[in-house]
């Protein structure tokens, strides 16, 4: 199959000596053309660094990357023409109208005047921004502004579109709207989309395939269904009333037949069971028998959070908190 992106062995270290940070430690993956590919990981995992290398904004210490058939190190100029990039921070001019922003973008890419007009109209229409096109963009809603960022990145008809956390900061309604637009991009133009996100649900909804990145390494790769399907049975999560009881809780849960893959993360204990509903009474009895007070117990079908937990050894949300606290 033709691959729109091929990354291999990417290593990137920021800084020198004792204070250096190894942001990427051998990241590699292939993205089939015309698909949405997710880079999923908690804050600080290395998603933005990977995106910066693939969009020629950073150079790796080692490793190779080919985007739209072009080597990013050898042909950065041609790569930049073949891609569109929506960074985390907005990139439109807030003092200009939507139409003016698109026109300027067209000029930056050397497009012909008539093409700028028709492509601008097409994108404004597609993203539901036509009515607001004549208004200064600082008066637009957050969701509209984000859509404009995507429209700007698509203006010159790139073959690969990079979206760095496209829905961070949007309310649920605007996020759902943006998800629909992103799905539409691959369908309408055959554009390949590489999306970074730290929302598990977003990767699950949008990505045809994804890699989970943790601490600069790819820890899992596949379709969301494959990744979840690799986990058998149900996920049980026990919230302890007292985090000091984790050893007793682990022993009690471990004594119940059919319970495996027990991990404890602060006051949360995670385990896998073949049949959650059937095992729950024995599990609760074992915990009660050991005198471990509980705050809550939940049983759920496997999620990408469980996939992450299996491969990274900690829950996705606790990894996010660790990075924020660091
Ligand atoms: N310019 C820089 N100088 C020093 N360290 C950096 C720099 N950029 C990133 N890092 C570090 O490299 C690691 C990976 O960062 P990166 O921004 O790629 O992660 P991320 O997964 O995109 O996170 P986020 O979701 O917060 O954007 C982090 O530990 C970060 O602090």
């Amino acid at each position: 199959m033709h691959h729109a992106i091929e990354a291999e062995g990417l290593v990137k270290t920021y800084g020198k000596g004792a204070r250096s940070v190894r942001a990427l430690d051998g990241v590699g993956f292939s993205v089939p053309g015309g698909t949405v590919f997710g880079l999923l990981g908690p804050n600080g995992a290395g998603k933005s660094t990977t995106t910066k290398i693939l969009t020629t904004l950073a150079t790796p210490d080692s490793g190779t990357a080919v985007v739209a058939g072009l080597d990013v190190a050898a042909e950065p100029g041609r790569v930049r023409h073949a891609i569109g990039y929506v960074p985390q921070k907005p990139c439109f001019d807030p003092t200009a109208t939507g139409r003016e922003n698109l026109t300027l973008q067209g000029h930056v890419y050397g497009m012909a005047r008539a093409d700028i007009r028709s492509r601008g109209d097409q994108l404004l229409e597609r993203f539901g921004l036509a009515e607001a096109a004549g208004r200064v963009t600082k008066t637009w809603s957050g969701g509209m502004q984000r859509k404009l960022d995507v429209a700007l990145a698509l203006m010159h008809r790139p073959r690969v579109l990079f979206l760095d956390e496209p829905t961070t900061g949007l309310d649920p309604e605007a996020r759902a709207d943006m998800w629909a637009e992103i799905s539409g991009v691959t369908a309408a133009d055959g554009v390949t989309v590489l999306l970074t996100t730290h929302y598990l649900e977003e990767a699950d909804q949008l990505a045809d395939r994804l890699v989970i990145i943790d601490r600069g390494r790819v820890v899992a790769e596949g379709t969301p269904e494959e990744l979840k399907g690799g986990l058998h049975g149900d996920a049980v999560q026990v919230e302890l009333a007292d985090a000091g009881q984790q050893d007793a809780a682990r022993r009690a849960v471990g004594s119940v037949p059919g319970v495996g893959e027990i991990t404890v993360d602060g006051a949360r204990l995670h385990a896998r069971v073949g049949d959650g509903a059937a095992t729950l009474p024995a599990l609760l009895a074992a915990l009660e028998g050991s005198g471990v007070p509980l705050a809550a117990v939940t049983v759920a079908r496997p999620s990408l959070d469980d996939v992450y937990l299996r491969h990274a050894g900690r829950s996705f949300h606790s990894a996010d908190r660790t990075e924020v606290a660091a």
Side-chain angles (χ1 to χ4, degrees):
M1 186 188 283
H2 158 72
H3 284 124
I5 302 173
E6 285 183 85
E8 212 181 301
L10 295 178
V11 172
K12 176 79 179 175
T13 305
Y14 291 108
K16 289 205 161 60
R19 295 173 69 92
S20 69
V21 177
R22 203 170 176 82
L24 299 184
D25 195 15
V27 166
F29 52 84
S30 299
V31 180
T35 63
V36 178
F37 191 85
L39 284 188
L40 173 66
N43 289 125
K47 305 180 298 293
S48 294
T49 303
T50 305
T51 305
K52 282 184 190 145
I53 291 171
L54 297 175
T55 54
T56 79
L57 297 173
T59 44
D61 303 339
S62 60
T64 56
V66 175
V67 174
L70 304 161
D71 185 301
V72 294
E75 302 188 90
R78 290 183 67 199
V79 170
R80 284 197 281 272
H81 262 88
I83 64 170
Y85 175 41
V86 181
Q88 274 180 33
K89 300 228 165 68
C91 47
F92 58 89
D93 176 356
T95 64
T97 67
R99 160 82 60 197
E100 285 163 353
N101 268 286
L102 287 163
T103 303
L104 178 64
Q105 184 82 348
H107 286 306
V108 167
Y109 279 95
M111 292 167 66
R113 203 167 287 273
D115 191 25
I116 290 177
R117 181 94 209 158
S118 63
R119 179 67 172 159
D121 282 345
Q122 187 190 34
L123 290 169
L124 287 165
E125 198 59 50
R126 160 126 56 97
F127 287 96
L129 300 172
E131 267 182 39
R135 276 203 284 127
V136 171
T137 50
K138 67 180 169 202
T139 65
W140 290 16
S141 72
M144 290 163 75
Q145 292 179 343
R146 209 65 192 129
K147 284 197 223 171
L148 178 63
D149 275 331
V150 178
L152 287 169
L154 287 171
M155 188 67 185
H156 62 292
R157 302 184 181 85
R159 284 143 65 197
V160 183
L161 178 67
F162 291 86
L163 300 172
D164 200 355
E165 304 200 358
T167 64
T168 298
L170 295 186
D171 60 48
E173 199 181 322
R175 173 169 299 155
D177 201 11
M178 182 58 100
W179 285 354
E181 300 294 359
I182 294 168
S183 305
V185 166
T186 44
D189 312 57
V191 173
T192 305
V193 175
L194 185 134
L195 163 93
T196 79
T197 181
H198 66 246
Y199 296 119
L200 297 153
E201 198 194 348
E202 185 159 289
D204 204 355
Q205 284 268 332
L206 287 181
D208 296 303
R209 294 185 67 76
L210 65 116
V211 287
I212 298 181
I213 299 196
D214 186 48
R215 297 176 172 137
R217 287 172 175 272
V218 171
V219 295
E221 172 163 15
T223 66
E225 293 317 313
E226 279 166 5
L227 290 172
K228 290 183 286 184
L231 299 171
H232 298 292
D234 295 331
V236 176
Q237 184 175 300
V238 179
E239 298 244 11
L240 306 176
D242 172 9
Q245 294 271 20
Q246 27 170 273
D247 289 340
R250 183 192 282 272
R251 274 195 303 277
V253 172
S255 71
V256 180
V259 179
E261 295 182 37
I262 302 168
T263 50
V264 186
D265 190 3
R268 273 203 197 119
L269 181 147
H270 305 266
R272 301 211 64 75
V273 299
D275 182 342
T279 314
L280 201 54
L283 198 136
L284 291 173
L287 285 163
E288 198 181 339
S290 305
V292 177
L294 303 179
V297 177
T298 49
V299 179
R301 303 296 307 152
S303 69
L304 284 180
D305 202 1
D306 300 312
V307 177
Y308 180 82
L309 179 69
R310 161 174 287 189
H311 293 284
R314 62 205 160 117
S315 79
F316 196 85
H317 300 290
S318 78
D320 243 9
R321 283 198 301 275
T322 313
E323 173 65 22
V324 169

